[in-house]
Amino acid sequence: MQALQKAWDDACAAEGSAQITIPFGDYLVGPVLFKGKCKGPITIQLDGNLLADTNLNRYTSNWLEFQYIDGLTISGRGKLDGQGTTAWPHNNCPDNWKCKLLPMTMSLSFVTNSAITGITSLNSKFFHVNMFGCSNIDIHSITITAPGDSPNTDGIHMGASSNIIITNSTIGTGDDCVSVGSGTTNVTVSGVTCGPGHGISVGSLGKDEDKGDVVGFNVRNSKLSGTANGIRIKTWQGKKDAKNVEPMMVSGFTFDDVVMENVMNPIIIDQEYCPYASCVESEPSRVQIKDIKFNNIRGTSSSAEVIQLRCSKTHPCEGLELKNIQLQYIGNDKALKETAICENVKVISSNVKPVSLLNK
């Protein structure tokens, strides 16, 4: 850890471009802070494997923290092994929203004009990659993997970020493969294979009246296999003591050329999201969803409700389009047929088969 920290400090202080090379081999590393502002762009060439310390008492925050950096490149064939197996039993977040968070593998805060390519993130204790306040980030040809039952091991999460591109990558986790939080704009996901996991998600949004519209999310040429959800937008219900809050906007999304393979909920908008046994929120969601396009979505579903559009009573979904949707139920109950659930929404649809409820 000390050697890696010194290497970063030296590279950050160097004039012009600098490179840190982590050679082939396995290295046990505790939490490290990579902080700018630096005098020039820095490349971390990861050829070896970094193994996270398993002693949770060593962490005050996350494992690898990147802050206030412009021009960061992380590349190579190496691995970031979060060694999360021993940490996951300490995660009670699925049952307690006030839980203490476990360390994320990579946390990027206010990082700009940067790229992550080629590397593998394995068995993170919590999120694999988290971005906050970032812009112009290119993530491509990476692998993210954790068991399907590992809690909160989101692949790539982002909030308050813009111009994020994720391409040609394989993500399999115990939570969302890709998740988009509030205040995020202009995100592209292309050529991504997701599974296991909870799918590709926007949200959850609207809890504690969080601010920041989500505008411009494009997913194309991707595949989801064996996931709990396919393409999902999830928002919390509102609280009774927040009557005059302006609605958060979710708009300008396109989902095109996406294959579903044995996915539980291929297309789902859930504006009554609550992952716990009970929630204090009871008012309709104050998140306004509009201008969402689903095109050329095809494959198989393990549930008969292949399309679920449950929108807010007070802020109904607007401008939803479904075209060229072909989803087949392959569950065990042969008496069931494919259906769509549509609440508080008018849908423009064409060639949506065999779902007939959209037209009723």
Side-chain angles (χ1 to χ4, degrees), residues 132-133 157-162 180-187 202-216 233-235 245-251 253 286-289:
F132 180 80
H157 176 77
M158 65 207 78
S161 296
S162 63
V180 178
S182 62
T184 298
T185 61
N186 195 20
V187 177
V202 176
S204 57
L205 302 174
K207 184 172 176 59
D208 300 323
E209 309 303 335
D210 55 354
K211 300 296 182 181
D213 299 342
V214 181
V215 180
I233 303 172
K234 50 182 177 175
T235 77
V245 176
E246 288 295 320
M248 176 190 296
M249 299 299 297
V250 172
S251 65
F253 292 5
R286 296 180 180 88
V287 178
Q288 175 69 70
I289 297 174

Side-chain angles (χ1 to χ4, degrees), residues 149-278:
D149 60 354
S150 57
N152 300 111
T153 52
D154 293 55
I156 301 173
H157 176 77
M158 65 207 78
S161 296
S162 63
N163 302 327
I164 310 296
I165 300 175
I166 304 168
T167 56
N168 301 329
S169 296
T170 299
I171 304 173
T173 72
D175 211 296
D176 295 327
C177 292
V178 176
S179 59
V180 178
S182 62
T184 298
T185 61
N186 195 20
V187 177
T188 297
V189 175
S190 177
V192 168
T193 298
C194 168
H198 293 180
I200 296 175
S201 297
V202 176
S204 57
L205 302 174
K207 184 172 176 59
D208 300 323
E209 309 303 335
D210 55 354
K211 300 296 182 181
D213 299 342
V214 181
V215 180
F217 183 41
N218 298 287
V219 178
R220 62 176 183 267
N221 187 30
S222 295
K223 178 180 179 180
L224 297 100
S225 180
T227 53
N229 303 286
I231 298 162
R232 176 170 60 159
I233 303 172
K234 50 182 177 175
T235 77
W236 291 81
Q237 290 181 295
K239 293 182 179 179
K240 289 185 177 181
D241 57 354
K243 298 291 187 181
N244 299 317
V245 176
E246 288 295 320
M248 176 190 296
M249 299 299 297
V250 172
S251 65
F253 292 5
T254 300
F255 304 100
D256 186 35
D257 192 19
V258 179
V259 175
M260 307 286 179
E261 184 179 85
N262 193 29
V263 170
M264 178 67 74
N265 303 302
I267 297 175
I268 177 170
I269 294 177
D270 181 5
Q271 293 209 258
E272 298 178 350
Y273 176 73
C274 174
Y276 311 120
S278 63

Side-chain angles (χ1 to χ4, degrees), residues 61-359:
S61 183
N62 300 304
W63 179 24
L64 305 175
E65 291 263 6
F66 297 87
Q67 299 179 357
Y68 305 102
I69 304 167
D70 182 54
L72 171 70
T73 299
I74 303 173
S75 64
R77 293 175 291 173
K79 295 182 176 66
L80 301 176
D81 187 348
Q83 301 208 94
T85 305
T86 59
W88 297 328
H90 299 280
N91 184 345
N92 66 342
C93 292
D95 301 315
N96 176 18
W97 65 274
K98 293 183 179 180
C99 63
K100 181 179 180 180
L101 302 183
L102 294 174
M104 303 182 208
T105 288
M106 294 179 63
S107 174
L108 283 68
S109 302
F110 308 103
V111 175
T112 58
N113 304 312
S114 298
I116 303 172
T117 176
I119 67 170
T120 295
S121 179
L122 173 68
N123 292 337
S124 179
K125 294 177 175 65
F126 204 61
F127 291 9
H128 288 259
V129 179
N130 183 69
M131 291 178 280
F132 180 80
C134 296
S135 63
N136 302 324
I137 306 294
D138 185 3
I139 300 175
H140 65 93
S141 303
I142 71 168
T143 300
I144 293 176
T145 181
D149 60 354
S150 57
N152 300 111
T153 52
D154 293 55
I156 301 173
H157 176 77
M158 65 207 78
S161 296
S162 63
N163 302 327
I164 310 296
I165 300 175
I166 304 168
T167 56
N168 301 329
S169 296
T170 299
I171 304 173
T173 72
D175 211 296
D176 295 327
C177 292
V178 176
S179 59
V180 178
S182 62
T184 298
T185 61
N186 195 20
V187 177
T188 297
V189 175
S190 177
V192 168
T193 298
C194 168
H198 293 180
I200 296 175
S201 297
V202 176
S204 57
L205 302 174
K207 184 172 176 59
D208 300 323
E209 309 303 335
D210 55 354
K211 300 296 182 181
D213 299 342
V214 181
V215 180
F217 183 41
N218 298 287
V219 178
R220 62 176 183 267
N221 187 30
S222 295
K223 178 180 179 180
L224 297 100
S225 180
T227 53
N229 303 286
I231 298 162
R232 176 170 60 159
I233 303 172
K234 50 182 177 175
T235 77
W236 291 81
Q237 290 181 295
K239 293 182 179 179
K240 289 185 177 181
D241 57 354
K243 298 291 187 181
N244 299 317
V245 176
E246 288 295 320
M248 176 190 296
M249 299 299 297
V250 172
S251 65
F253 292 5
T254 300
F255 304 100
D256 186 35
D257 192 19
V258 179
V259 175
M260 307 286 179
E261 184 179 85
N262 193 29
V263 170
M264 178 67 74
N265 303 302
I267 297 175
I268 177 170
I269 294 177
D270 181 5
Q271 293 209 258
E272 298 178 350
Y273 176 73
C274 174
Y276 311 120
S278 63
C279 292
V280 297
E281 295 82 0
S282 59
E283 297 292 315
S285 174
R286 296 180 180 88
V287 178
Q288 175 69 70
I289 297 174
K290 63 185 298 183
D291 300 332
I292 312 295
K293 297 179 179 180
F294 302 89
N295 182 54
N296 196 20
I297 312 296
R298 61 201 186 276
T300 57
S301 172
S302 59
S303 67
E305 294 179 351
V306 297
I307 299 174
Q308 301 176 48
L309 307 176
R310 292 185 170 91
C311 297
S312 170
K313 293 180 181 179
T314 56
H315 298 88
C317 296
E318 300 177 0
L320 264 65
E321 297 183 11
L322 286 87
K323 297 181 179 180
N324 303 319
I325 310 297
Q326 303 284 338
L327 295 167
Q328 179 185 2
Y329 169 61
I330 58 168
N332 295 326
D333 192 339
K334 303 305 179 183
L336 295 178
K337 300 296 183 181
E338 296 88 355
T339 61
I341 304 298
C342 299
E343 299 174 357
N344 307 307
V345 58
K346 292 183 178 180
V347 179
I348 300 172
S349 65
S350 65
N351 193 27
V352 179
K353 298 179 180 179
V355 177
S356 60
L357 292 184
L358 288 174
N359 301 317

Side-chain angles (χ1 to χ4, degrees), residues 12-61:
C12 189
E15 299 286 349
S17 301
Q19 177 169 309
I20 299 169
T21 299
I22 300 172
F24 293 102
D26 295 334
Y27 308 94
L28 183 64
V29 175
V32 182
L33 175 61
F34 303 91
K35 189 173 183 179
K37 298 181 176 180
C38 299
K39 292 186 176 181
I42 298 177
T43 296
I44 298 177
Q45 181 66 28
L46 179 66
D47 295 324
N49 304 320
L50 300 185
L51 284 70
D53 197 314
T54 58
N55 183 358
L56 294 178
N57 293 326
R58 296 285 307 278
Y59 297 88
T60 57
S61 183

